[in-house]
Amino acid sequence: MTTKSTKNATPKYDITNVPPVGATSYDLVNGIQRHFVRTLGQDNRSHSSHYNYQALAFTIRDRLMECWKDSREASCEADGRRAYYLSLEFLMGRAMGNAMLNLGLDEQAEQAMHDLGIDLEEMIDEEHDAGLGNGGLGRLAACFVDSCATLQLPVTGYGIRYEYGMFRQLIKDGAQAEEPDHWLRNGNIWEIARPEYEQRIHFGGRTEQYRDDAGVLRCRWVDANDVLAIPYDTPIPGYQNGTVNTLRLWKSAATDEFDLGEFNAGSYPESVASKNEAEHISMVLYPNDSSENGKELRLRQQYFLASASIKDVIRRWVEKNGNDFSQFAAKNCFQLNDTHPTVSVAELMRILMDEYHLEWDDAWEITSKTMAYTNHTLLPEALERWPVYLFGRLLPRVLDIIYEINARFLTEVAKQWPGDVERQRRMSIIEEGDVQQVRMAYLAIAGSYSVNGVAQLHSDLLVEGLFADFYAMWPEKFNNKTNGVTQRRWMAMCNKPMSALINETIGEGWVTKLSELGQLAPYAEKAAFRKKWAACKRQNKERLAEVVEQVCGVRFSPDAMFDVQVKRIHEYKRQLLNVLHVIHLYDRIKRGDTANWTNRCVLIGGKAAPGYYMAKQIIKLVSNVAEVVNNDPEVGDKLKVVFFPNYRVSAMEIIAPATDLSEQISTAGKEASGTGNMKFMMNGAMTIGTLDGANIEIREEVGEENFFLFGLTAEEVEATRGHYDPSAIIAADEDFKRVMELLECGHFSQFEPGLFSSITHAIRGSDDPWLVAADFRTYVDAQQRAAEAYQDQKSWLRMSIFNTTYSGKFSTDRTMEDYNRDIWKLEPIKLK
Ligand code: 26W
């Protein structure tokens, strides 16, 4: 890069005299035309709507730039404490609609596009989702940065700029196929490269001891292969407050000398190959949620993010404070989004000791008062562990430090529980066994001053189970922070009809203070308001029905109840239970048991990890059941079923506002929180759900009479293990028996008998961890209550309104205030 030093280090720009951009529709029209011609080089013969999108995006971006600069200056001037959200995933979705909303340009943009004869919706649809995440954890990070900007909290997101995001899901013959998501192919207007802030990241090599100038024995990492990290910044606008925060994503690149060395040795292909290795680091997002797979490239990604981000923070620190780190912990906080960036603990230690020559105790004091860790899962298979040999080969100096952290930590354990060797073995950061492993969650806990779960039940289960030993040692570290979602994207932006109705009823305060929705309560009793509410839902259902017809070729009638389950496909989330219910409804129709029937449209969507066989089988089963049900004339409008392909953020923006019944049916104790459940609630859907994750808190807020509860509790789930007999449950339940017969006789796999035997065996297995059969009866009964409730539209609408009314707790604004009050302790940055 030649950007580092130029002859004109400080040109005489008068940036205060750059003409203002203006916010009228007329200003926007001008901007769009200017970008169309000057930035994009187009003329009147250009017919690709892509250029129209780009011209509009540039025009909106112009309006972000000024605020972004002002925010950076204000935050620099304030020189206060800051937080950094370290996450391997940021599932941002589209930026344009959100930017228009947060800049207060919605109406002007609509007018401008109208004047230009362009359809705004179509333009918004041109943008590719930024799908840099798997599911809940990644989308949560995106909602967090939105809320931090709105609350004017000085928080920067740090992540990886994957060249390929979450794969595109195709459904071929009812089965999932994956296609690469080259989301950057048509450029990304929302990012600005900052090559002047590149960092060098070390891999490989070895550790060496040496004496420094003062004769002190020190360690250093030598013979490493360096990789460059280049930052790309995305603006994160707050809601109409002038604040624009930053999401900084790192792209990997080869260093020049790296290939030169090989080149001089006469091996040009090898030199290009090593360049490849560097560039692979930020090439692709791993599409696994919940099961770790121990791939070397993934560890490289984790260290790449951790090292680049910490070095970036330290670069700014040293610029201001020189080598004085005494106030570093008072001024900086790293929030670790699950264990994925946890190698940060050791990396900060390494930099402080090896590069700035702090002593161990001082470095540890700083590190362990700077890091905070959020856990997002209780599933043991999702707990990250890295083989020590891999760590040692890739990050030798970092492994040394982890060993030392562990040795000192175990000394503390031994002090507190003298002679309790078994406890030391249990708590060790290094797990012994055939292959030694680094337990990342334990490293995160030992190195952090705060450890939180993401819903009350989840946080309780963590300290009772998985982390009980650590809780006994450091009870003060543990806390709960119930998740949320941003109501800007998940109501104001995606549900315009309902937002308008709420605005005209109680004003717009809810957009930044969601609890104000509480004022809607009395309106639930007013027929006129309910009628308007129903009209909004109807409009949203018509919009979704159009999309479903387009992508699935199935007609959804907006009169029917829209019954929706969208989320990653996983056995613990129990899409299977949903399918069993659908088969039961089909069976009822076929046997004529349809008195007082409620018509239903069932939509199921979500991606399966490419290597997760059972999840893929479940997708195939949904597709096959849909095929049979939708083509049976006897069924007609009584029941429609689709598997919605390629579920993603922009799809949820159409699905959530149109949903009547939200399926949150995980095995109790397995879903850490869930956040889709909150999006549906906010948009006036009723939940059918178990006492799991945030469902419990949703039910507390909305009231038990407005929630369809079923299923075993987390405690009952645990108590069931060891004496679970699904076949007996099936045999004793006539409806269940018929459902299993349909499945087992091949009714949904006419041409491939036995296709679903792995599924039926799993249901019948006494070792089924997800207890599908145990909850079948109470689930079907709860579904029947929901169906009956839907027939009384007056009462249903009341319940729908109450769900929105009492969703105030589930804003990430509240979540961020909780993090800030208890963990970050940042001062908001008011702009001049
Ligand atoms: C190592 C592979 C891997 C990748 C991702 C393991 C685990 C994960 C995440 C923990 C998966 C995830 O997204 N968890 C979800 O986090 C949400 C936000 O807190 C919660 O609402 C969901 O309940 C939880 O499943």
Side-chain angles (χ1 to χ4, degrees):
M1 287 292 156
T2 53
T3 40
K4 268 207 171 131
S5 74
T6 60
K7 281 186 190 155
N8 294 321
T10 21
K12 292 176 185 135
Y13 295 134
D14 181 0
I15 55 172
T16 54
N17 254 338
V18 175
V21 282
T24 66
S25 66
Y26 178 77
D27 294 322
L28 295 185
V29 167
N30 276 338
I32 292 164
Q33 289 173 344
R34 185 168 56 79
H35 281 299
F36 188 77
V37 175
R38 303 238 175 89
T39 310
L40 299 165
Q42 297 304 301
D43 56 41
N44 277 335
R45 279 171 305 178
S46 160
H47 290 303
S48 160
S49 55
H50 182 67
Y51 292 113
N52 296 332
Y53 157 74
Q54 289 203 317
L56 175 59
F58 275 122
T59 305
I60 302 294
R61 196 185 76 172
D62 285 343
R63 272 102 193 132
L64 284 170
M65 287 297 179
E66 205 111 338
C67 299
W68 204 4
K69 172 176 72 65
D70 293 344
S71 298
R72 278 193 305 265
E73 282 168 6
S75 139
C76 191
E77 206 169 297
D79 193 27
R81 186 171 156 85
R82 288 181 212 191
Y84 310 97
Y85 200 74
L86 264 52
S87 177
L88 269 283
E89 305 187 11
F90 284 91
L91 189 39
M92 300 299 286
R94 292 171 176 157
M96 192 159 72
N98 184 248
M100 292 191 312
L101 173 76
N102 284 12
L103 289 170
L105 292 174
D106 262 352
E107 282 163 21
Q108 298 90 314
E110 205 148 324
Q111 183 64 49
M113 297 319 271
H114 178 264
D115 293 350
L116 291 167
I118 300 172
D119 183 50
L120 179 58
E121 286 299 309
E122 229 173 83
M123 287 305 96
I124 286 174
D125 247 8
E126 274 289 317
E127 184 175 352
H128 204 107
D129 278 36
L132 308 185
N134 273 285
L137 162 143
R139 181 55 228 176
L140 186 74
C143 285
F144 277 12
V145 291
D146 177 87
S147 282
C148 287
T150 294
L151 294 167
Q152 305 193 295
L153 295 175
V155 175
T156 301
Y158 277 112
I160 294 180
R161 180 180 176 278
Y162 301 107
E163 204 76 33
Y164 293 86
M166 190 61 197
F167 63 82
R168 176 178 310 123
Q169 179 191 55
L170 305 176
I171 301 299
K172 290 186 181 156
D173 296 328
Q176 168 174 302
E178 300 92 21
E179 226 176 43
D181 167 47
H182 198 187
W183 70 294
L184 293 166
R185 182 164 7 212
N186 299 321
N188 175 12
I189 289 179
W190 306 102
E191 66 179 13
I192 305 283
R194 301 265 187 226
E196 67 273 30
Y197 296 133
E198 74 181 23
Q199 292 291 348
R200 294 182 78 96
I201 314 301
H202 312 308
F203 289 99
R206 62 196 168 80
T207 298
E208 172 182 275
Q209 290 204 321
Y210 72 104
R211 289 199 183 274
D212 68 10
D213 297 343
V216 183
L217 194 63
R218 302 204 179 272
C219 280
R220 65 186 167 201
W221 187 346
V222 296
D223 297 339
N225 293 314
D226 287 358
V227 170
L228 294 181
I230 320 274
Y232 285 70
D233 288 355
T234 300
I236 307 293
Y239 182 74
Q240 301 183 10
N241 63 3
T243 292
V244 177
N245 281 348
T246 299
L247 171 62
R248 176 160 284 185
L249 302 179
W250 300 98
K251 173 194 165 93
S252 64
T255 58
D256 291 343
E257 70 267 32
F258 198 10
D259 8 309
L260 248 185
E262 300 259 15
F263 185 72
N264 290 339
S267 41
Y268 180 70
E270 284 72 15
S271 82
V272 175
S274 48
K275 193 173 159 70
N276 262 336
E277 198 175 308
E279 282 164 5
H280 276 154
I281 293 177
S282 62
M283 194 59 75
V284 59
L285 166 78
Y286 273 91
N288 302 328
D289 73 326
S290 84
S291 86
E292 56 112 8
N293 58 4
K295 288 283 193 311
E296 172 177 331
L297 180 58
R298 169 80 176 176
L299 181 57
R300 277 183 191 270
Q301 291 183 336
Q302 297 187 350
Y303 181 68
F304 174 76
L305 168 66
S307 182
S309 310
I310 292 176
K311 286 183 165 186
D312 195 45
V313 171
I314 292 202
R315 169 185 59 78
R316 247 174 290 133
W317 180 265
V318 172
E319 267 169 31
K320 238 186 177 135
N321 305 279
N323 287 6
D324 178 2
F325 286 91
S326 57
Q327 294 305 303
F328 188 82
K331 290 289 195 72
N332 295 285
C333 169
F334 294 94
Q335 189 72 42
L336 307 174
N337 199 18
D338 215 286
T339 52
H340 316 159
T342 288
V343 65
S344 298
V345 170
E347 176 65 1
L348 180 54
M349 287 297 287
R350 186 189 70 78
I351 294 174
L352 292 175
M353 294 190 304
D354 294 3
E355 295 182 12
Y356 293 93
H357 295 178
L358 269 68
E359 297 303 320
W360 181 280
D361 288 341
D362 296 333
W364 184 248
E365 179 71 14
I366 290 170
T367 301
S368 57
K369 286 204 160 74
T370 306
M371 299 284 164
Y373 156 56
T374 305
N375 173 284
H376 294 267
T377 179
L378 287 154
L379 299 183
E381 63 268 33
L383 289 182
E384 288 193 298
R385 294 175 313 164
W386 290 107
V388 164
Y389 68 83
L390 185 63
F391 232 106
R393 180 154 57 74
L394 219 56
L395 310 167
R397 179 62 186 134
V398 180
L399 180 62
D400 288 349
I401 292 170
I402 292 175
Y403 267 121
E404 183 66 22
I405 291 172
N406 193 40
R408 292 174 185 242
F409 163 65
L410 289 179
T411 309
E412 290 299 307
V413 175
K415 250 192 239 163
Q416 198 159 336
W417 290 278
D420 194 345
V421 184
E422 168 56 20
R423 187 183 293 261
Q424 289 182 43
R425 192 196 55 74
R426 278 203 313 263
M427 294 180 77
S428 175
I429 295 168
I430 306 293
E431 180 181 276
E432 299 299 331
D434 280 352
V435 191
Q436 280 192 322
Q437 310 256 6
V438 184
R439 294 161 160 162
M440 299 306 276
Y442 292 3
L443 176 61
I445 299 172
S448 298
Y449 67 94
S450 165
V451 179
N452 74 281
V454 290
Q456 192 59 56
L457 173 73
H458 170 231
S459 298
D460 291 345
L461 293 174
L462 280 180
V463 299
E464 286 165 20
L466 219 47
F467 299 156
D469 286 327
F470 290 84
Y471 181 61
M473 188 159 174
W474 294 308
E476 68 286 351
K477 282 192 187 185
F478 290 81
N479 63 92
N480 171 247
K481 295 287 167 281
T482 298
N483 283 166
V485 302
T486 170
Q487 69 268 34
R488 266 82 61 189
R489 181 175 296 262
W490 296 114
M491 179 56 122
M493 189 188 101
C494 74
N495 194 344
K496 298 282 185 204
M498 225 169 244
S499 299
L501 174 58
I502 296 171
N503 287 347
E504 69 177 46
T505 310
I506 60 165
E508 296 177 14
W510 61 275
V511 180
T512 50
K513 228 177 151 228
L514 195 61
S515 55
E516 291 200 1
L517 289 178
Q519 295 168 28
L520 286 174
Y523 293 92
E525 311 303 336
K526 298 187 186 186
F529 183 81
R530 285 197 302 268
K531 198 170 158 201
K532 290 185 195 165
W533 191 265
C536 296
K537 239 321 155 203
R538 171 109 198 162
Q539 198 181 328
N540 295 332
K541 288 172 79 168
E542 281 165 359
R543 177 170 69 150
L544 175 59
E546 261 175 51
V547 175
V548 166
E549 173 136 41
Q550 236 172 53
V551 302
C552 310
V554 176
R555 275 206 60 77
F556 271 15
S557 161
D559 292 322
M561 174 202 263
F562 281 17
D563 170 349
V564 175
Q565 186 175 25
V566 284
K567 49 183 81 234
R568 288 300 291 259
I569 310 293
H570 200 294
E571 288 162 282
Y572 85 79
K573 294 175 188 282
R574 295 200 295 192
Q575 282 90 358
L576 246 186
L577 191 53
N578 192 342
V579 183
L580 295 183
H581 173 248
V582 169
I583 298 173
H584 166 66
L585 290 181
Y586 167 75
D587 178 48
R588 276 183 58 191
I589 296 168
K590 295 303 281 182
R591 63 182 201 237
D593 175 18
T594 56
N596 289 319
W597 189 262
T598 301
N599 291 351
R600 268 195 212 240
C601 296
V602 178
L603 183 151
I604 299 175
K607 291 173 184 175
Y612 188 172
Y613 173 78
M614 278 302 263
K616 289 187 151 179
Q617 284 295 106
I618 291 168
I619 291 175
K620 178 73 176 146
L621 176 61
V622 176
S623 308
N624 281 21
V625 170
E627 187 71 18
V628 170
V629 169
N630 297 337
N631 294 311
D632 187 329
E634 236 181 299
V635 175
D637 270 350
K638 290 191 181 66
L639 184 61
K640 286 279 173 271
V641 187
V642 299
F643 186 86
F644 188 96
N646 200 32
Y647 173 62
R648 61 200 185 280
V649 172
S650 58
M652 186 57 158
E653 289 164 7
I654 296 167
I655 293 169
T659 295
D660 295 308
L661 188 65
S662 151
E663 301 272 349
Q664 307 301 335
I665 60 179
S666 51
T667 313
K670 303 301 171 198
E671 187 71 272
S673 163
T675 45
N677 48 3
M678 300 169 186
K679 294 164 201 166
F680 286 119
M681 179 201 201
M682 198 174 277
N683 283 279
M686 290 284 291
T687 303
I688 180 165
T690 49
L691 286 176
D692 199 14
N695 295 352
I696 296 175
E697 290 158 76
I698 285 176
R699 180 164 169 270
E700 265 165 28
E701 295 295 306
V702 76
E704 57 182 78
E705 67 284 11
N706 301 311
F707 188 106
F708 299 109
L709 179 69
F710 75 95
L712 300 180
T713 63
E715 229 171 300
E716 288 164 346
V717 164
E718 285 315 307
T720 301
R721 310 232 177 268
H723 38 86
Y724 177 50
D725 186 356
S727 283
I729 297 172
I730 293 164
D733 186 323
E734 200 51 39
D735 290 333
F736 202 171
K737 217 159 75 186
R738 294 176 63 96
V739 168
M740 291 302 285
E741 271 162 19
L742 281 171
L743 268 174
E744 284 164 340
C745 79
H747 191 78
F748 303 106
S749 50
Q750 302 275 352
F751 305 108
E752 293 169 89
L755 179 62
F756 297 121
S757 61
S758 55
I759 286 183
T760 52
H761 284 142
I763 297 170
R764 287 185 181 279
S766 60
D767 56 353
D768 171 20
W770 321 114
L771 305 184
V772 173
D775 282 345
F776 175 84
R777 178 40 52 191
T778 56
Y779 178 57
V780 167
D781 291 348
Q783 286 284 17
Q784 180 58 24
R785 294 202 301 279
E788 284 165 20
Y790 191 77
Q791 302 217 333
D792 181 352
Q793 272 296 302
K794 174 180 168 189
S795 137
W796 184 273
L797 283 165
R798 277 179 78 250
M799 297 194 291
S800 164
I801 296 166
F802 284 146
N803 267 278
T804 303
T805 303
Y806 298 115
S807 64
K809 175 175 177 184
F810 304 105
S811 166
T812 34
D813 297 347
R814 189 271 312 148
T815 310
M816 292 297 84
E817 278 167 349
D818 289 353
Y819 274 80
N820 193 42
R821 185 190 58 242
D822 300 340
I823 307 172
W824 301 340
K825 303 180 194 296
L826 312 169
E827 290 297 333
I829 301 207
K830 301 274 179 265
L831 294 164
K832 278 170 274 178

